[in-house]
Amino acid sequence: MAERERVLSGVQPTGQATLGNFLGAFRQWRIQQEEYESTFLIVDQHALTVEHDPAALREGTLQMAALLFAVGIDPTRSTVVVQSHVAGHAQLAWLMECTATYGELSRMIQFKDKSRGSAMVRAGLFTYPALMAADILLYQTDLVPVGEDQSQHIELTRTVATRFNHAYGDIFTIPRAVIPPLAARVMDLSHPEAKMSKSSADGQGNIYLLDSDDQIRRKIAKAKTDLFNEVLYVEDDPARAGVRNLLEILAVLTDREPKDVASNFVRYGDLKEATATAVIEQLSPIRERYQDYMGDRSQLVSWLAIGRERASEVASQTLSRAYDAIGFLPSKEVTYGD
Ligand code: TYM
């Protein structure tokens, strides 16, 4: 039987995960783990690219593990691993930094966004996509399920992997991004022209996965709509972004097309009510399971140890091949990547 294709994706363990993370990423992961050999990373090293608090990072990493398991990532089926537990990420990242160019990294939209107006831009924020490329290539990944905001980074990963293979031999699988057809960019409820983001200033337009039912209802009730007074799904019209966002959220959660969903509603209030109900139905069991998992930290730690064990195997193989190809002298004393 042919080997199963490999899926890999990652999430930063900073801030509270949002409905955007869920619809753009976690929900796909839950589905894809049934079919593919899957690895999901909690990317604590990426979290160092902006100011951070060490204690919050440590706690956030464990909380993110609990959340992923609560969402339905199955530790017996998928490998869930903390990035810093497998040294190969940092090791391969250096090779990627030396393969990507300054010009390529300068063109990354996320770098431009996150560095704008910041007094101290860490060098790691600039080289971040090289680490992300290493994350992906280390596991010979075929498919990378992500929200739309990550597609430029994956395009760069493909470029860098192709360049490396061309220069040094066929070492890396060239990965493809898998962007969900709907809700690939969930928008902020109060500012529907901007992406819903963990790091947004007031958080009022964010649905957090651990929000109470009441908070979810209140935030969706206050979601910005427009003055058209008709529930229509119109793509590419900035003036209708708020209603479009609600329709996409409801469509994904009820497995329908947004246009069909729109035809069921006349009033914005009813659309909001139905969207809130669907979101609550999805998130409240996750919240309960999350509390259960957080109540048994040693279970979480041992699942992460199993993840590390499994991940290290593939990682060390890829890394030693890449080291060899690039011309590093092998040493009998050194074990790579774990
Ligand atoms: P991060 O932590 O910002 O987000 C995790 C995932 O959630 C998706 N996402 C969204 N999708 C739809 N609408 C939104 N509003 C929204 N907000 C976030 C993101 O697209 C992402 O899929 N660089 C990555 C983490 C990473 C990674 C990797 C991903 C590191 N190494 C290797 C894939 C493969 C990031 O910061 O994601």
Side-chain angles (χ1 to χ4, degrees):
M1 206 171 87
E3 251 189 52
R4 285 191 305 164
E5 282 195 298
R6 288 180 204 257
V7 154
L8 176 134
S9 199
V11 59
Q12 296 200 44
T14 38
Q16 293 190 53
T18 69
L19 186 65
N21 295 125
F22 179 72
L23 296 180
F26 304 163
R27 194 171 163 274
Q28 320 301 316
W29 303 359
R30 185 171 70 192
I31 298 168
Q32 284 153 350
Q33 69 176 347
E34 306 287 329
E35 192 176 340
Y36 302 104
E37 192 173 325
S38 303
T39 302
F40 302 114
L41 302 171
I42 302 172
V43 293
D44 52 352
Q45 288 169 307
H46 278 97
L48 305 186
T49 53
V50 291
E51 200 179 329
H52 82 287
D53 169 55
L57 177 60
R58 198 170 296 118
E59 186 63 13
T61 301
L62 199 69
Q63 289 172 342
M64 185 54 81
L67 189 61
L68 293 183
F69 296 128
V71 156
I73 303 302
D74 176 354
T76 62
R77 215 179 248 283
S78 299
T79 302
V80 175
V81 58
V82 177
Q83 188 183 33
S84 66
H85 290 182
V86 177
H89 292 267
Q91 291 170 298
L92 188 60
W94 179 248
L95 272 55
M96 295 301 111
E97 282 180 43
C98 295
T99 308
T101 67
Y102 178 82
E104 283 164 344
L105 295 176
S106 316
R107 285 194 286 278
M108 293 295 112
I109 295 164
Q110 234 175 42
F111 172 71
K112 290 187 205 166
D113 285 350
K114 289 196 175 176
S115 58
R116 192 172 300 128
S118 169
M120 198 196 90
V121 177
R122 299 182 183 188
L125 186 64
F126 185 68
T127 57
Y128 173 121
L131 177 58
M132 182 161 158
D135 295 340
I136 297 169
L137 301 177
L138 198 55
Y139 298 96
Q140 304 293 351
T141 303
D142 299 287
L143 305 169
V144 190
V146 282
E148 196 183 76
D149 60 342
Q150 296 300 319
S151 58
Q152 196 189 23
H153 290 156
I154 295 167
E155 216 28 67
L156 179 69
T157 302
R158 290 166 58 83
T159 304
V160 169
T162 306
R163 184 176 303 145
F164 189 102
N165 283 354
H166 191 70
Y168 308 115
D170 218 359
I171 304 298
F172 299 121
T173 303
I174 309 296
R176 316 191 287 285
V178 182
I179 315 269
L182 273 181
R185 191 177 177 80
V186 177
M187 307 310 272
D188 187 296
L189 298 176
S190 334
H191 305 281
E193 65 289 349
K195 186 185 73 168
M196 187 181 285
S197 158
K198 282 186 274 203
S199 51
S200 84
D202 66 2
Q204 276 316 301
N206 283 353
I207 303 281
Y208 297 111
L209 299 191
L210 301 176
D211 274 350
S212 68
D213 294 354
D214 255 16
Q215 285 170 310
I216 296 173
R217 269 200 200 288
R218 234 177 306 127
K219 287 179 187 175
I220 295 184
K222 280 203 234 145
K224 188 169 170 206
T225 48
D226 51 52
L227 299 174
F228 294 105
N229 259 326
E230 47 180 359
V231 180
L232 266 189
Y233 183 68
V234 184
E235 284 173 271
D236 303 324
D237 180 354
R240 295 181 187 259
V243 172
R244 180 169 63 240
N245 195 33
L246 293 173
L247 285 169
E248 288 203 11
I249 294 169
L250 183 54
V252 172
L253 292 177
T254 53
D255 204 15
R256 283 181 297 164
E257 289 301 317
K259 279 202 162 70
D260 298 340
V261 173
S263 67
N264 291 338
F265 296 99
V266 178
R267 295 171 21 180
Y268 290 162
D270 295 336
L271 168 64
K272 287 177 170 179
E273 182 67 35
T275 306
T277 301
V279 171
I280 289 168
E281 224 164 75
Q282 190 64 224
L283 297 190
S284 74
I286 293 176
R287 197 167 63 223
E288 274 170 35
R289 284 195 294 268
Y290 171 83
Q291 298 304 350
D292 289 347
Y293 286 128
M294 280 309 285
D296 190 354
R297 289 168 172 246
S298 60
Q299 173 69 267
L300 292 173
V301 168
S302 71
W303 278 338
L304 292 175
I306 295 170
R308 176 197 175 216
E309 194 75 18
R310 282 199 219 131
S312 297
E313 223 173 278
V314 192
S316 64
Q317 279 172 23
T318 307
L319 192 72
S320 64
R321 288 184 57 213
Y323 269 23
D324 187 49
I326 211 163
F328 289 167
L329 177 69
S331 159
K332 285 202 161 50
E333 309 302 318
V334 177
T335 320
Y336 297 117
D338 59 3

